[in-house]
Amino acid sequence: MKTRERILHTSQLLFNEEGEPNVTTVDISNEMEISPGNLYYHFKGKEAIIEALFARFEVTLSDILRAPLEKELSVEDSWFYLYVVFEEIYNFRFFYQNLTNLLHRYDSINRKYKRLMELKTRTAHALLSEVANHGILSIEDEELNQLCESITLLLTYWLTYCDLKGQQLGPPAAIHQGVFQIVHLVAPYLSDEYGHIYRECKALYQAATAELGH
Amino acid sequence: MKTRERILHTSQLLFNEEGEPNVTTVDISNEMEISPGNLYYHFKGKEAIIEALFARFEVTLSDILRAPLEKELSVEDSWFYLYVVFEEIYNFRFFYQNLTNLLHRYDSINRKYKRLMELKTRTAHALLSEVANHGILSIEDEELNQLCESITLLLTYWLTYCDLKGQQLGPPAAIHQGVFQIVHLVAPYLSDEYGHIYRECKALYQAATAELGH
DNA sequence: GTCTATATTAGGATAGAC
DNA sequence: GTCTATCCTAATATAGAC
């Protein structure tokens, strides 16, 4: 792996583990066993590293979020889809653990992030309207909007919130719970004849929870 | 006001406005028009100030959260009660905007905060079970637990999330929306004969939104 | 209690040799 | 591309006069 790439890789790792504010350029170069001078040859500084990492995150996450806007998903796929979104957020959790501050410091990231956030809501809206059109969900327009907002908030902060609770959940368990938490937001709107979908989810959830063990 | 008190007051103000990491001891003393030396006479440093502010926050918020555990609230009071909780969180929003980091830095705060968070969930649980016992809400135990978790998350992050969206909502509007967002989480579980409660809330919400302008 | 002046440190950043 | 050595700055913190 080229040095530039290794810097990004190591930074992402350390940021996620220690929290971005607690990682210095020297920490990064120590971890990589290169000199700080070398790091500065490849990047103007920590800011540039963060911007590069965010650029990557933006590309992959917005691709993920746009997919269901173009091609319809089945109900089962929608459910699996949530895992994919959470997974990607998990990979850049350092970013979410420090959102307010980062967006305050970097105006460029701020603008891009806002678009991502809107895209999250838009995707949730598209997925749910579709399910509603199939008669699986029965929900009014205004309730749908509020629901999508809650889903976006939950997607944004669930993993951070799990961290806060500090019940040493492994990442798969935390993600798994997050998915189910979202399912729970949607479940009350399932049409009567589709209540079984929720019950199946629940069974799956409990099985998987048992498997992830403790 | 004594100097010690003014330091706490000014710090809280600046932290909320600029974000705690962006405020230095010198900023605080400048704002107060005292010397940095003087500030250090009263507090060992920024850490001590933050700890003192958190101690206050803990006392007032845990009092608020414990109130409904002792004395039953009417449905209308529960609704108003949410405003009180949000208001208190708003007063210490600097804390919430930097949660992960602060809890990572101060172990003492970490422990106390976890208790607060559990208390939030516990209070939500108590309020909702009561309403459920009156037959107003119809909800299973497991759904209730998940709902309370979502409410805690929303309480914790709603104001931060509004900030992120950066649609220049004034604080009253943001709080107002937060309250309604929570109402929306609960609404689907209202028993049929109590659907009117939600419709009344909605009418109130729309009236108030109009009043708050935008 | 408050000030001025100064010390300490850590993090970010560069210059110049190899 | 990489290293060593060094600099700059901002933030924290203290000493000692008033």
Side-chain angles (χ1 to χ4, degrees):
Chain A
M1 214 190 316
K2 309 274 333 137
T3 303
R4 196 193 140 89
E5 190 52 34
R6 285 180 58 224
I7 293 174
L8 288 175
H9 184 256
T10 309
S11 304
Q12 187 174 348
L13 209 92
L14 289 181
F15 288 164
N16 278 334
E17 258 162 31
E18 318 283 345
E20 173 273 324
N22 310 312
V23 176
T24 72
T25 49
V26 177
D27 292 333
I28 298 168
S29 41
N30 276 347
E31 174 76 18
M32 297 173 62
E33 299 186 312
I34 64 170
S35 69
N38 191 359
L39 186 146
Y40 276 90
Y41 171 78
H42 291 280
F43 288 95
K44 267 223 280 287
K46 204 171 132 178
E47 303 214 345
I49 297 178
I50 292 172
E51 276 166 357
L53 284 175
F54 182 75
R56 289 190 171 189
F57 173 64
E58 202 210 357
V59 169
T60 53
L61 187 60
S62 67
D63 277 356
I64 292 174
L65 290 173
R66 260 194 291 268
L69 296 176
E70 280 147 23
K71 190 178 161 301
E72 192 163 327
L73 292 184
S74 71
V75 179
E76 289 74 29
D77 287 348
S78 306
W79 154 268
F80 176 72
Y81 179 72
L82 283 175
Y83 282 90
V84 177
V85 176
F86 267 122
E87 189 73 41
E88 183 64 16
I89 291 177
Y90 180 76
N91 290 335
F92 290 85
R93 59 195 177 284
F94 77 88
F95 189 68
Y96 284 87
Q97 278 164 357
N98 212 17
L99 258 185
T100 311
N101 220 259
L102 280 168
L103 300 189
H104 195 253
R105 267 150 59 200
Y106 307 97
D107 206 55
S108 64
I109 296 188
N110 192 352
R111 282 192 302 276
K112 288 182 205 154
Y113 182 76
K114 253 183 232 168
R115 280 208 300 275
L116 267 186
M117 189 156 65
E118 284 157 17
L119 191 52
K120 277 181 203 160
T121 311
R122 208 133 40 83
T123 300
H125 203 284
L127 282 173
L128 291 178
S129 330
E130 225 159 73
V131 186
N133 285 342
H134 286 71
I136 300 174
L137 228 53
S138 131
I139 186 169
E140 305 283 308
D141 270 8
E142 199 188 328
E143 278 68 43
L144 181 58
N145 288 332
Q146 296 261 12
L147 177 59
C148 289
E149 195 94 70
S150 287
I151 289 177
T152 304
L153 182 89
L154 207 145
L155 272 177
T156 306
Y157 287 113
W158 178 257
L159 294 175
T160 309
Y161 175 77
C162 283
D163 212 68
L164 239 54
K165 289 201 291 182
Q167 341 141 302
Q168 301 311 63
L169 289 177
I175 291 178
H176 184 65
Q177 281 192 10
V179 171
F180 202 55
Q181 199 74 23
I182 291 184
V183 169
H184 253 105
L185 293 182
V186 178
Y189 296 101
L190 282 171
S191 319
D192 293 340
E193 61 279 34
Y194 287 97
H196 66 94
I197 292 184
Y198 168 63
R199 285 190 298 278
E200 282 156 21
C201 279
K202 194 155 140 180
L204 274 169
Y205 168 74
Q206 284 160 345
T209 303
E211 184 155 338
L212 288 164
H214 291 285
Chain B
M1 218 189 313
K2 307 269 344 132
T3 304
R4 195 192 140 89
E5 189 53 33
R6 284 179 59 221
I7 293 174
L8 288 175
H9 185 256
T10 310
S11 303
Q12 186 173 349
L13 210 93
L14 289 182
F15 289 163
N16 278 334
E17 258 162 29
E18 318 283 345
E20 173 272 324
N22 311 312
V23 176
T24 71
T25 49
V26 176
D27 292 333
I28 298 168
S29 41
N30 276 347
E31 174 76 18
M32 297 173 61
E33 299 186 313
I34 64 170
S35 68
N38 192 0
L39 186 145
Y40 276 89
Y41 171 79
H42 291 280
F43 288 95
K44 266 222 278 290
K46 204 172 132 177
E47 302 213 347
I49 296 177
I50 290 173
E51 276 165 357
L53 284 175
F54 182 75
R56 290 192 170 187
F57 174 63
E58 202 210 357
V59 169
T60 53
L61 186 60
S62 66
D63 278 358
I64 292 174
L65 290 174
R66 261 194 291 267
L69 296 177
E70 281 148 23
K71 191 179 161 298
E72 191 162 328
L73 292 183
S74 71
V75 178
E76 290 74 28
D77 287 347
S78 306
W79 154 268
F80 175 71
Y81 179 72
L82 283 175
Y83 281 90
V84 177
V85 177
F86 267 122
E87 188 72 41
E88 183 63 15
I89 291 177
Y90 180 77
N91 289 336
F92 289 84
R93 59 196 178 283
F94 77 88
F95 189 68
Y96 284 87
Q97 277 164 358
N98 213 17
L99 258 185
T100 310
N101 221 259
L102 281 169
L103 300 190
H104 195 254
R105 268 152 57 200
Y106 306 98
D107 204 56
S108 64
I109 297 187
N110 191 353
R111 282 192 303 276
K112 288 182 204 154
Y113 181 76
K114 253 183 232 168
R115 280 208 300 277
L116 266 186
M117 190 157 62
E118 284 156 18
L119 191 52
K120 276 182 202 160
T121 311
R122 209 135 35 87
T123 300
H125 203 284
L127 282 173
L128 291 178
S129 330
E130 224 159 74
V131 186
N133 285 341
H134 286 72
I136 300 173
L137 227 53
S138 129
I139 185 169
E140 305 282 310
D141 270 9
E142 198 188 327
E143 278 68 43
L144 180 56
N145 289 332
Q146 296 262 12
L147 177 59
C148 289
E149 194 95 70
S150 287
I151 289 177
T152 304
L153 183 91
L154 207 146
L155 272 177
T156 306
Y157 288 113
W158 177 258
L159 294 174
T160 308
Y161 176 78
C162 283
D163 211 68
L164 239 55
K165 290 201 292 182
Q167 341 140 306
Q168 301 310 62
L169 289 176
I175 290 178
H176 185 65
Q177 281 192 10
V179 171
F180 202 56
Q181 199 75 23
I182 290 184
V183 169
H184 252 105
L185 294 182
V186 178
Y189 296 102
L190 281 170
S191 319
D192 293 341
E193 59 280 34
Y194 287 99
H196 65 94
I197 292 183
Y198 169 63
R199 287 190 298 277
E200 282 156 20
C201 278
K202 193 155 142 179
L204 274 169
Y205 169 74
Q206 284 160 345
T209 304
E211 185 155 334
L212 287 165
H214 298 285

